């Protein structure tokens, strides 16, 4: 028989993502409508260990659905990787009467949630990361906004790149995952994409492509480079020296993590936040919410963390054919 859930907590952890606010709002309001109290925890697991915990009412989440960032703040907390930190986190939850916790974040944050569950605190994870790199789900909160921000920025770079007949290397976020780079590559009609999952560091291939582009009369050559490959500035210098084509690097950086969430991010984050509150209030624990085959579903955290996904080969092949 699962214990009665009277109070739940909510926190955001890891890199922030547009739509996290919509998820927080949904967790708070759905739990309250289920008759369960809600506490907000500031600055992720760091705030939990520092007991930065506040009561949340319906009005606490007014006027945030349209805002980027996270009302609760986020942080990285090395101490939470230790068994002592995790046990202390669970103890603090008990001290504040928190029976269950919604953790909005990525894979790393899920491991923290799993540890809390092992220490007797019910937990539900919600996928919040612009990188789309959580294997169990086809959607993560923030990806849609980030990719649209990147797409608009790349269109602008392309305008000036074409006017000057330059090559542009545009670096997008994604330390370990190339989804932003792949989507931008297709959506922006880029000539090359460098993905952490695929790149073989053979710059000669890029150089040959640029020379071929020039010969075919193209006025620009757009290379989307994922952060995980990086080194865009030095790469631009080498490519310019080898091809004779003026080459510039633009690093989009954190602008991809900010901004007002798109409709999709607000909608999906709202459903996922509410779903997480519902299953937590029902006494479920050690689960993560996901979007799979057009449905909102939940998985056991361990099962979710053991899943793997990579760049879709067919999509990658299509990119290559369309960019020739
Ligand atoms: P994300 O959640 O976006 O993957 P991180 O990997 O930085 O981001 O993880 C966010 C936080 O989650 C970390 O700062 C840490 O507090 C916690 N965390 C990460 N990995 C673990 C782990 N193996 N065990 C417990 N907590 C973890
Ligand atoms: O949130 C995901 C992400 O933006 C990655 O693409 C990036 O590698 C990482 O976070 C950077 O995080 P930070 O610089 O905030 O530590």
């Amino acid at each position: 028989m699962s214990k009665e859930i009277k109070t739940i907590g909510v926190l955001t952890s890891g890199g922030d993502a547009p739509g996290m606010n919509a998820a927080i709002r949904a967790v708070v309001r759905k739990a309250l409508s289920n008759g369960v109290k809600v506490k907000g925890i500031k600055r992720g697991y760091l705030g939990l260990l520092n007991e930065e915990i506040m009561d949340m009412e319906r009005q606490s989440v007014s006027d945030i659905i349209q805002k980027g960032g996270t009302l609760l703040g986020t942080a990285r907390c090395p101490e939470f990787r230790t068994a002592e930190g995790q046990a202390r986190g669970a103890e603090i939850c008990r001290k504040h009467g928190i029976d269950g916790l919604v953790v909005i974040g990525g894979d790393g944050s899920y491991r923290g949630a799993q540890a809390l569950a092992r220490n007797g605190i019910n937990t539900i994870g919600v996928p919040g990361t612009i990188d789309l790199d959580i294997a169990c789900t086809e959607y993560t909160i923030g990806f849609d906004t980030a990719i649209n921000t990147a797409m608009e920025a790349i269109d602008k770079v392309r305008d000036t790149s074409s006017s000057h007949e330059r090559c542009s290397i545009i670096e997008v976020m994604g330390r370990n995952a190339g989804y932003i780079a792949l989507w931008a590559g297709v959506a922006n009609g880029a000539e090359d994409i460098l993905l952490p999952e695929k790149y073989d560091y053979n710059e000669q291939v890029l150089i040959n492509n640029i020379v071929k582009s020039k010969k075919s009369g193209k006025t620009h050559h757009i290379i989307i480079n994922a952060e995980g490959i990086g080194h865009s500035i030095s790469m631009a210098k080498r490519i310019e020296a080898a091809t004779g084509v003026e080459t510039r690097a633009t690093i989009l950086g954190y602008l991809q993590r900010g901004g007002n969430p798109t409709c999709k991010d607000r909608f999906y984050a709202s459903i996922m936040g509410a779903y997480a509150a519902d299953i937590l209030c029902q006494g479920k624990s050690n689960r993560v919410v996901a979007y799979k085959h057009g449905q909102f579903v939940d998985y056991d955290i361990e099962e979710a963390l053991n899943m793997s996904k990579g760049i879709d080969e067919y999509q990658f092949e299509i990119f290559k054919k369309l960019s020739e």
Side-chain angles (χ1 to χ4, degrees):
M1 182 74 184
S2 57
K3 66 180 172 194
E4 194 194 348
I5 304 294
K6 294 190 181 134
T7 303
I8 67 164
V10 56
L11 61 77
T12 48
S13 168
D16 67 343
M20 279 185 165
N21 279 327
I24 296 167
R25 173 179 176 271
V27 170
V28 171
R29 293 196 169 170
K30 191 65 177 74
L32 290 172
S33 76
N34 292 347
V36 168
K37 289 190 182 141
V38 188
K39 298 196 181 206
I41 298 161
K42 300 278 286 179
R43 299 184 183 82
Y45 296 121
L46 184 67
L48 175 62
L49 296 183
N50 290 334
E51 299 191 49
E52 296 181 76
I53 299 170
M54 61 193 181
D55 292 333
M56 299 201 77
E57 309 299 338
R58 282 188 75 80
Q59 293 78 358
S60 315
V61 288
S62 295
D63 201 29
I64 64 165
I65 193 166
Q66 77 283 16
K67 292 181 182 156
T70 155
L71 165 83
L72 293 173
T74 184
R76 296 211 162 81
C77 176
E79 194 185 343
F80 213 74
R81 292 171 186 268
T82 66
E84 297 74 31
Q86 295 156 6
R88 201 158 71 77
E91 216 31 68
I92 291 167
C93 285
R94 278 186 278 275
K95 178 178 161 191
H96 288 264
I98 294 171
D99 307 306
L101 188 63
V102 175
V103 171
I104 305 166
D107 276 1
S109 304
Y110 286 0
R111 294 201 182 276
Q114 192 180 32
L116 278 174
R118 273 199 302 267
N119 280 276
I121 303 298
N122 288 3
T123 53
I124 304 291
V126 172
T129 166
I130 64 163
D131 287 350
L132 195 67
D133 61 344
I134 300 180
C136 69
T137 183
E138 290 156 9
Y139 165 84
T140 61
I141 294 170
F143 176 75
D144 191 61
T145 307
I147 187 61
N148 277 290
T149 302
M151 183 186 74
E152 284 174 21
I154 295 163
D155 282 344
K156 292 179 175 135
V157 175
R158 185 184 173 128
D159 288 345
T160 172
S161 198
S162 296
S163 304
H164 288 266
E165 300 186 38
R166 284 175 175 157
C167 168
S168 272
I169 302 176
I170 303 165
E171 192 170 309
V172 296
M173 270 192 153
R175 196 175 290 155
N176 303 310
Y179 297 101
I180 295 180
L182 172 68
W183 279 56
V186 174
N188 291 96
E191 277 66 35
D192 280 296
I193 47 176
L194 313 183
L195 314 179
E197 299 89 340
K198 298 270 179 199
Y199 190 47
D200 62 3
Y201 294 88
N202 184 356
E203 253 171 45
Q204 194 56 47
V205 175
L206 290 177
I207 289 163
N208 296 346
N209 282 350
I210 293 163
V211 171
K212 198 169 134 206
S213 276
K214 264 281 165 212
K215 281 196 184 137
S216 75
K218 279 196 184 183
T219 54
H220 61 263
H221 191 99
I222 303 290
I223 302 170
I224 310 290
N225 184 25
E227 176 192 1
I229 309 296
H231 304 289
S232 296
I233 295 171
S234 54
M235 195 185 283
K237 285 188 183 138
R238 285 193 301 274
I239 284 178
E240 180 167 316
T243 60
V245 177
E246 266 193 307
T247 303
R248 298 281 192 271
T250 306
I251 298 171
L252 299 185
Y254 293 108
L255 72 84
Q256 297 158 94
R257 275 222 316 237
N260 299 345
T262 58
C263 177
K264 181 169 179 176
D265 276 331
R266 296 180 200 195
F267 182 85
Y268 280 53
S270 297
I271 304 296
M272 285 183 156
Y275 187 114
D278 273 344
I279 61 175
L280 193 55
C281 292
Q282 287 158 15
K284 284 199 188 180
S285 177
N286 210 26
R287 312 281 302 170
V288 293
V289 178
Y291 183 77
K292 198 84 181 171
H293 307 313
Q295 303 281 337
F296 294 96
V297 293
D298 54 283
Y299 293 103
D300 175 76
I301 295 190
E302 187 64 29
E303 186 190 350
L305 288 171
N306 284 333
M307 292 180 191
S308 62
K309 75 171 176 185
I311 293 295
D312 184 285
E313 284 302 326
Y314 180 68
Q315 292 172 12
F316 186 60
E317 282 310 310
I318 298 234
F319 163 77
K320 288 201 284 193
K321 289 285 165 227
L322 301 186
S323 68
E324 274 171 3

